[in-house]
Amino acid sequence: MPQDQNAIPIGSLVPLTGPSAVDGAESRNGVTFACEEINQEGGLLGRRLEPVFMDTGRQTAEEVIAAAARLIADHQVHAIINGYNIGPQNSEYEPIADAGIIYIHHNTLLQHHDTVLSDPERYFGCFMANPAEFWYGRGFMKFLSWLRDTGQWRPQSNRIAIISGSKPYSIVIANAMASAAAQFGWSV
């Protein structure tokens, strides 16, 4: 529960430890700053927003689900707003949908669209505040082509190699690059 019983607790799932801790710290700063700005203007419906943070560490499904459950059960948050947690692949949607609260994230996953479309009533409150990673791959091909076409980069040939990591995030980006390559005059 919030320290101020009249405050509205706003949760945030952030990697404060582990390999993404630097990004997690900046996400925490952003949520804190946003709450401070809203509170300076009188809060929400006259009530202060109080941010509550849960560390998602390595961002595994288990860590993110447990953190979401704690925000909901222990802190009774009214919404969860955070940067990204790449590992859970939307598994955190389940406890959030069960609670019926708003969830705004920046996970950049094409899978978000599939999950929400699979049951719009259940996932009514799940919002991704940035484009899916698919567009990163397609956008990168467009960017490389623009560099080539404007003469800012002179590649030795139209051949490219695409190397992907093993995470779905990387695979979707690599596949989007591969599917867009020919349209922009590249050979994979």
Side-chain angles (χ1 to χ4, degrees), residues 133 162 164-177:
E133 78 281 62
I162 300 171
S164 174
S166 61
K167 300 227 180 230
Y169 174 83
S170 298
I171 293 167
V172 170
I173 293 171
N175 289 344
M177 289 175 66

Side-chain angles (χ1 to χ4, degrees), residues 3 16 25 38 40 60 85-86 89 92 97 100 116-117 124 134 143 148 151 168 172 176-177:
Q3 293 173 353
L16 297 172
I38 292 167
Q40 287 174 358
T60 64
N85 285 288
I86 297 298
Q89 301 299 311
E92 76 275 20
V116 172
L117 288 173
F124 79 95
F134 171 84
F143 175 68
R148 176 198 61 205
V172 170
M177 289 175 66

Side-chain angles (χ1 to χ4, degrees), residues 17-97:
T17 59
S20 298
V22 172
D23 288 348
E26 293 305 325
S27 291
R28 180 184 55 205
N29 290 343
V31 170
T32 300
F33 182 66
C35 288
E36 287 172 356
E37 279 193 333
I38 292 167
N39 290 340
Q40 287 174 358
E41 296 298 318
L44 181 62
L45 301 173
R47 295 172 65 190
R48 285 176 66 282
L49 298 182
E50 186 172 299
V52 181
F53 300 97
M54 285 292 142
D55 183 12
T56 56
R58 293 166 295 132
Q59 304 175 58
T60 64
E62 295 80 13
E63 289 168 307
V64 176
I65 291 168
R70 284 196 59 211
L71 285 172
I72 293 163
D74 298 349
H75 299 280
Q76 300 173 356
V77 297
H78 292 220
I80 296 175
I81 302 169
N82 50 260
Y84 67 86
N85 285 288
I86 297 298
Q89 301 299 311
N90 298 349
S91 56
E92 76 275 20
Y93 285 28
E94 301 314 313
I96 292 167

